[in-house]
Amino acid sequence: MPRFRAELERLFPDKETVFHHLGNYLFNPSNQAWGLITRFYDAYLARADERIGLQVRVFNTKASPIPLVAKQLLKCTQSEGILPQLQVSTNSSFSSVKALADIYLLSLCDVLVTSRWSTFGYVAQAIGRVKPWILNVPNTNYSGDRLPERACRRAVSMEPCFHYPPSYDMKKKVVVDGEVGTGPPVVHCEDVSWGLKLVNGRQIERLG
């Protein structure tokens, strides 16, 4: 709301760290979750020179077969020079404790490749203050067995995408019907065309 704008500007001068600060303040893993996190980190990640996290979620395995997604993931990590050492998450049948532990482990990585639309990946990237590479998951309904030419793209900010934002026009500063207007510090998301995310001014200039 407009009357809170000045206070929010004071609290969050860096627009790309809003969720990072709120998430680290509000998400407090239980001792059980921290135990999973620290044991895995100490055993497999602590001595690595670089930690690379892959968070892959496939919403429709018929439209996006796993072998095709794996090829696209390999194409992304090779073409962008991300390989070799990996910490992989497939986001399948986790308990809530294991899911939270996995999010935190991903947030501790130096480089992230995440899935489009995945709130799981959004939280990890924001907590870890990492701008991820967003995987362009192939869809056989549109392209057959051909991989999309662009395997992945770098996110413009570490902030998560708000998939279904309220109808508030940032430029006019009013509630509107229909599509939401963008403007500093809000832009449309890379992976959800109607979604919104926060970016800093310099990133808006780059997008323009």
Side-chain angles (χ1 to χ4, degrees), residues 63-116:
S64 303
I66 298 300
L68 204 60
V69 174
K71 286 183 180 179
Q72 185 75 327
L73 180 62
L74 187 61
K75 180 182 176 182
C76 169
T77 55
Q78 289 182 336
S79 63
E80 301 299 340
I82 295 171
L83 287 172
Q85 194 163 0
L86 309 177
Q87 150 61 24
V88 180
S89 163
T90 56
N91 195 21
S92 53
S93 56
F94 289 113
S95 69
S96 57
V97 172
K98 289 183 178 179
L100 183 59
D102 210 55
I103 287 173
Y104 267 85
L105 285 168
L106 285 167
S107 76
L108 296 171
C109 292
D110 303 301
V111 181
L112 278 178
V113 179
T114 61
S115 303
R116 299 171 70 238

Side-chain angles (χ1 to χ4, degrees), residues 141-174:
N141 291 335
Y142 301 103
S143 58
D145 291 333
R146 291 181 291 107
L147 294 177
E149 184 175 343
R150 191 172 188 179
C152 54
R153 63 180 298 184
R154 193 74 181 271
V156 295
S157 85
M158 66 193 76
E159 281 292 295
C161 178
F162 193 176
H163 288 179
Y164 299 101
S167 298
Y168 181 76
D169 192 306
M170 293 296 297
K171 292 180 179 178
K172 298 178 181 178
K173 296 181 172 56
V174 294

Side-chain angles (χ1 to χ4, degrees), residues 25-46:
Y25 178 74
L26 296 172
F27 295 151
N28 295 294
S30 65
N31 290 337
Q32 183 183 5
W34 272 124
L36 289 173
I37 295 166
T38 54
R39 285 194 299 273
F40 190 97
Y41 183 87
D42 291 342
Y44 301 106
L45 300 177

Side-chain angles (χ1 to χ4, degrees), residues 172-198:
K172 298 178 181 178
K173 296 181 172 56
V174 294
V175 176
V176 296
D177 293 326
E179 185 177 350
V180 179
T182 58
V186 176
V187 298
H188 285 297
C189 306
E190 303 91 344
D191 56 335
V192 183
S193 60
W194 58 86
L196 298 177
K197 68 187 301 182
L198 292 170

Side-chain angles (χ1 to χ4, degrees), residues 15-16 156 183-187 197-208:
K15 303 302 180 293
E16 294 186 20
V156 295
V186 176
V187 298
K197 68 187 301 182
L198 292 170
V199 298
N200 283 325
R202 63 182 181 275
Q203 299 293 358
I204 294 175
E205 292 173 5
R206 199 184 83 185
L207 287 171

